[in-house]
Amino acid sequence: MTLPTEPVTTAGLPPARYAPLLDEVEAAVLALPPGGDPADAPWTLSDAPGGLLMLRAETGGAPAEIRFRVPLGDTAGYWHPQGGWRRTLVADWEGRASVSLVDGVAAGCLYDHGGATRLTFAAADPAPEATLRFGVSEEDDTHVVHLRLPADPAGGPHRVLLVPAAPSVAAALRPLRAWYARRLPPMPAPEGARTPVYSTWYAFNQDVTAAAVETQAALAAPLGCGTLILDDGWQLGGRGRGYAGLGDWRPDPAKFPDFTGHVAAVRAMGLRYLAWTAPLLLGADADSRARWAPYATAPATVPGARVLDPRRPEVREHVVEVCTRLVREHGLDGLKLDFLDQAAVYAGDGGADVGRAMARLLAELRAGLEAVRPDGLLLELRQPYTGPGAAPFGNLLRSFDCPADSAANRVRTLDTALLATGGAVHSDMLMWSPQAPVEAVARQLIGALHAVPQLSVRLDRIPEAHQRAVAFWLGRWHAHRDLLLDGEVEPGRPDQLYPLVRASAGDRCLISVHADLVVPLDTAAHRRVELVNGSAADRLTLSVRGGPAVIARVVHGPDGRIIESTSARYGEGPHTLAVPRGGLASLTITEGRR
């Protein structure tokens, strides 16, 4: 689905007839009939539930290009699900994205230096393949977004959701999440999806054994973990950090001589058990390679494997059979479904739509697994396939790999949560060196605080101070789980990498601080406030508003040790609070609240 020509900038594209849309945004719609010239197409704008607007473009089912343009004004950045670290402005000759159910979603949010949004949109159907061009038009002094949507098999209109200007990116995306959740009900998230996880990946990579995993499980459960994920390496051919051995999905008897008994032993410790799979990958060394090679015509982007084509019904049936067999035979609580985004290698090849095929595959897979385990089924999906289209098919939504990078974990979990309609957002696995200072351990845990933490260190090899820090921070996480996972979260501007994150619900508030910033404290709005020091300073600077108040405070060090417990009267204005880096101040406002 391409236009006849692809000029360097959007100013060179065929012209279209723009009209006012909302706020300062203008829109134009082109029909892209196969083999024909682009032509202006009619569109309408109507109200949608939750304060949203719906643009409907009538193209007779033909592919469409929907264009938006906004005067530059005081624009600061553009957030979209594939943005990664590029969240400031780019030129329109550079901004490109290809999306589908397993590779992001066709959505974006343009915002100014005050954080307020200027354009927020999302395709109403998040499954099909779509492409975008976006960025600053140097010729027109505007920011543009060109969204190309594929043909509608039913011949219906193309639909795009729009959000009027909002005070922040997070505020603009909340009604979009609610709209998607009503129309694509997310998979239920049982207790096992909402409890800290012990993962074997960074701790062991592929060198896992039953005995080693059971040792970690016995230590992880008392620290506050409720689920264990056995990652890559349990299966035959799991070696060498490559994927040439994938495809047979049988336990390696040298590592797990009684895999079913091992799973039962870990579950008896109070942990739910998931095993890693990459069911679309087929390695050159797999015994099943000859059988399935005709269905894996494209190479994967990871070494040693090819990708099974999910558009083939035989492949979908095979994936369901493999996954249900694993859960049924070994008593698993669920699976970690990795590398589903590899299906995108087939996007745009002239065949059927990959996104729609993956939606069908995952629906069949969920149904098959729920028939085996009707209660408490756990399925982990990973960024970039954690958006609204994938929400019905997974309930652990994990952020992309960022080993030992607490800042990336913070940014990626918050990015994921901005459009996550259900399930529970999970951090990438936390790792650190046994020689690290205890505040570095706390920093890793603080970076994952606004999601469900996943740990991946050898717990029997870290010092006692590290274990105390893990126990303390997982304990605080459990105490505030509903606030962190279900409260209203305001992380601020995406281009600033969310240096101050506030989660609030009722009279409770938790603020995590990741830079040397002034922290607003509203004594009239909240009674209990947790201040988390994820910065490099041993203090927090507060700006008190809402009237003077008496505040009781308890300050903890990074390992949970109580440093101070006192009470003082705070007037409006600036105050400095001594809180060690990696530490926590628990405030209770006892007098003076309005």
Side-chain angles (χ1 to χ4, degrees):
M1 184 180 65
T2 59
L3 289 171
T5 59
E6 281 290 343
V8 173
T9 71
T10 58
L13 290 168
R17 186 175 64 252
Y18 279 87
L21 181 67
L22 78 160
D23 303 325
E24 295 183 283
V25 183
E26 294 183 309
V29 175
L30 289 171
L32 307 175
D37 294 328
D40 289 315
W43 57 270
T44 60
L45 188 67
S46 59
D47 292 334
L52 301 175
L53 297 169
M54 180 79 76
L55 184 153
R56 288 178 170 84
E58 301 288 350
T59 65
E65 179 172 284
I66 299 173
R67 300 181 181 181
F68 304 116
R69 68 184 182 191
V70 190
L72 286 177
D74 194 29
T75 299
Y78 177 70
W79 180 91
H80 63 103
Q82 290 185 338
W85 299 113
R86 295 299 304 273
R87 48 192 63 221
T88 52
L89 300 177
V90 300
D92 67 349
W93 47 262
E94 184 180 10
R96 297 284 199 283
S98 296
V99 300
S100 72
L101 181 135
V102 291
D103 196 6
V105 62
C109 189
L110 185 72
Y111 55 92
D112 64 23
H113 281 83
T117 62
R118 310 194 64 217
L119 166 67
T120 306
F121 73 92
D125 186 350
E129 300 171 30
T131 62
L132 299 100
R133 293 188 69 169
F134 56 88
V136 174
S137 170
E138 301 168 15
E139 292 88 348
D140 297 333
D141 298 330
T142 58
H143 188 278
V144 300
V145 175
H146 290 191
L147 169 61
R148 296 182 186 174
L149 298 171
D152 184 336
H158 298 279
R159 300 182 305 150
V160 177
L161 294 160
L162 295 146
V163 185
S168 70
V169 173
L173 295 179
R174 282 184 205 116
L176 283 178
R177 291 205 313 266
W179 189 92
Y180 281 124
R182 287 191 296 268
R183 283 149 183 82
L184 297 168
M187 185 176 177
E191 179 68 16
R194 294 169 58 88
T195 189
V197 172
Y198 182 84
S199 167
T200 63
W201 179 242
Y202 292 138
F204 293 94
N205 300 121
Q206 292 175 312
D207 297 326
V208 286
T209 65
V213 173
E214 288 170 28
T215 295
Q216 302 308 311
L219 295 169
L223 288 173
C225 292
T227 299
L228 182 140
I229 297 179
L230 175 64
D231 214 294
D232 186 6
W234 64 269
Q235 75 285 359
L236 278 172
R239 61 186 184 277
R241 294 297 294 268
Y243 300 95
L246 296 186
D248 299 326
W249 303 111
R250 299 193 302 272
D252 186 335
K255 298 177 180 180
F256 296 90
D258 178 8
F259 189 51
T260 304
H262 159 72
V263 171
V266 170
R267 295 186 80 244
M269 299 177 192
L271 295 172
R272 300 156 190 86
Y273 201 121
L274 281 71
W276 176 86
T277 58
L280 289 179
L281 296 190
L282 180 67
D285 298 338
D287 292 342
S288 59
R289 178 180 178 275
R291 166 73 177 87
W292 292 103
Y295 303 95
T297 57
T301 61
V302 296
R306 300 182 75 80
V307 185
L308 292 166
D309 189 340
R311 299 172 296 185
R312 303 290 296 269
E314 301 91 339
V315 168
R316 297 196 295 272
E317 183 179 355
H318 166 68
V319 168
V320 173
E321 189 280 325
V322 164
C323 293
T324 54
R325 172 176 55 81
L326 285 172
V327 171
R328 180 178 60 251
E329 291 184 357
H330 303 298
L332 298 170
D333 292 283
L335 299 171
K336 172 177 179 174
L337 301 171
D338 210 353
F339 293 117
L340 298 185
D341 49 327
Q342 293 292 311
V345 300
Y346 293 107
D349 68 355
D353 189 283
V354 170
R356 292 186 175 114
M358 285 300 298
R360 183 172 179 179
L361 166 60
L362 291 172
E364 293 169 359
L365 178 58
R366 176 183 165 183
L369 288 170
E370 286 181 332
V372 175
R373 182 168 285 282
D375 299 317
L377 176 66
L378 301 175
L379 293 176
E380 184 189 273
L381 307 178
R382 172 182 52 77
Q383 215 174 16
Y385 46 94
T386 54
F393 313 121
N395 44 25
L396 287 75
L397 309 176
R398 185 176 68 82
S399 298
F400 191 67
D401 300 17
C402 51
D405 191 335
S406 61
N409 232 342
R410 177 180 78 251
V411 171
R412 289 174 178 171
T413 51
L414 290 166
D415 276 349
T416 300
L418 285 174
L419 272 179
T421 60
V425 174
H426 281 235
S427 75
D428 185 36
M429 295 78 75
L430 309 183
M431 62 170 288
W432 60 85
S433 165
Q435 292 76 40
V438 69
E439 59 265 26
V441 178
R443 183 171 290 111
Q444 292 294 324
L445 290 152
I446 290 169
L449 195 62
H450 294 272
V452 179
Q454 293 198 10
L455 306 180
S456 191
V457 294
R458 300 198 187 193
L459 296 170
D460 57 337
R461 297 186 182 182
I462 60 174
E464 184 178 349
H466 289 193
Q467 294 200 20
R468 288 197 304 268
V470 172
F472 172 72
W473 282 106
L474 291 189
R476 301 309 295 175
W477 184 90
H478 276 288
H480 300 295
R481 178 177 70 170
D482 58 337
L483 175 64
L484 293 166
L485 298 187
D486 307 321
E488 183 173 288
V489 177
E490 181 49 69
R493 277 173 43 182
D495 60 309
Q496 294 179 340
L497 305 182
Y498 312 131
L500 191 149
V501 187
R502 185 184 69 249
S504 57
D507 69 350
R508 300 165 57 206
C509 179
L510 185 146
I511 302 173
S512 61
V513 186
H514 307 275
D516 195 4
L517 299 170
V518 175
V519 181
L521 178 64
D522 190 342
T523 59
H526 303 104
R527 180 176 181 271
R528 291 173 292 169
V529 179
E530 300 282 300
L531 299 176
V532 178
N533 188 3
S535 76
D538 290 317
R539 55 167 168 72
L540 294 174
T541 302
L542 310 182
S543 176
V544 175
R545 60 193 183 201
V550 175
I551 301 177
R553 66 177 185 266
V554 179
V555 178
H556 296 263
D559 60 354
R561 179 172 50 92
I562 294 179
I563 295 173
E564 180 187 43
S565 181
T566 188
S567 182
R569 186 171 183 81
Y570 286 72
E572 289 195 335
H575 297 268
T576 299
L577 189 61
V579 181
R581 66 194 72 182
L584 167 71
S586 297
L587 309 183
T588 302
I589 302 170
T590 59
E591 295 180 25
R593 296 181 71 243
R594 296 173 184 169

